[in-house]
Amino acid sequence: MNKKMITLALGITALSSVSMMAKAASVDAGKDAFETCRGCHTSPGTSNAYPTYYVPKVGGQVPAYTVAALKAYKKSDRPHRTMMANSYDMSEKTMENIAAYLATVEGSDRAIANGGNAANGKKLAEACMACHNDDSSEGASNPRLAGQHANYLEKAMQDYQSGARKNALMQSMVQDFSEDDIRDIAAYFVSQKGLTAVK
């Protein structure tokens, strides 16, 4: 068997493992595990104390991304003490269950805007759409941003710029954005329907 065939076989095995893992996740167990998260993630407009930004909408988020985000908090690759504390002893299975549950949540509550220029943001976000195209089909791994609160998106981009959030690709994508650019990009994603608060 040549190297290409071996690589292909390994890739198929890895993909089927991910698919089986996703299918094994329990929505009911995830709903139960999410109870400790409800205090912050179920009320539209709930704000983080400092720095002030709205708690992100997580309803309808892509499962693979939810798991990746929880792992990042667990490893302290994202600087949020409450999320770090909530995830530090969370098992990967619990993360998968929570992610499976959140993916089933639907709704259409209004995101909180920031006064940015959504039309300009759409132009600036063209490169972002290769990954953040609101794909929520099975197997998608990039986060949905459509319908997210503006100041949460702004804070996320600022954290990638500063290195507080550790992701080399995202850091390279946002490093040259001005404050106005960030505000406008956030305004564009806010104007889209997508994520929702969990009820």
Side-chain angles (χ1 to χ4, degrees):
M1 194 179 262
N2 66 32
K3 286 184 180 178
K4 285 184 180 178
M5 292 300 289
I6 292 170
T7 303
L8 179 61
L10 288 172
I12 291 170
T13 302
L15 283 174
S16 62
S17 296
V18 169
S19 179
M20 286 190 315
M21 182 175 61
K23 288 178 183 171
S26 167
V27 171
D28 289 337
K31 184 176 182 179
D32 290 342
F34 187 75
E35 285 305 311
T36 58
C37 314
R38 286 189 182 280
C40 295
H41 288 286
T42 59
S43 302
T46 299
S47 185
N48 192 61
Y50 179 83
T52 304
Y53 57 87
Y54 295 109
V55 174
K57 295 183 189 182
V58 293
Q61 189 53 272
V62 173
Y65 174 73
T66 299
V67 171
L70 288 169
K71 285 181 178 179
Y73 285 119
K74 183 172 184 171
K75 292 183 350 185
S76 301
D77 284 345
R78 289 192 180 185
H80 190 284
R81 293 189 187 278
T82 304
M83 286 302 301
M84 289 160 67
N86 285 334
S87 61
Y88 87 97
D89 64 348
M90 191 180 284
S91 71
E92 189 163 342
K93 185 64 181 170
T94 299
M95 293 179 185
E96 291 167 7
N97 291 340
I98 290 172
Y101 165 61
L102 291 176
T104 67
V105 175
E106 296 178 348
S108 60
D109 57 331
R110 186 179 65 82
I112 299 171
N114 62 358
N117 183 329
N120 187 50
K122 182 177 182 178
K123 293 175 192 169
L124 291 168
E126 284 178 5
C128 310
M129 298 309 291
C131 296
H132 300 294
N133 52 20
D134 209 36
D135 180 8
S136 58
S137 61
E138 187 174 343
S141 59
N142 295 314
R144 297 178 75 192
L145 303 182
Q148 187 59 271
H149 298 307
N151 66 359
Y152 176 77
L153 292 173
E154 290 176 37
K155 178 72 166 86
M157 286 186 273
Q158 290 162 356
D159 283 352
Y160 284 123
Q161 281 185 329
S162 71
R165 278 196 184 196
K166 298 172 180 19
N167 182 299
L169 176 60
M170 281 301 301
Q171 287 167 335
S172 69
M173 292 296 291
V174 302
Q175 65 182 353
D176 294 327
F177 288 149
S178 69
E179 284 185 28
D180 286 341
D181 291 341
I182 286 174
R183 187 179 303 110
D184 291 350
I185 290 168
Y188 167 65
F189 283 111
V190 165
S191 71
Q192 309 300 303
K193 287 186 179 177
L195 297 170
T196 187
V198 182
K199 303 298 185 215

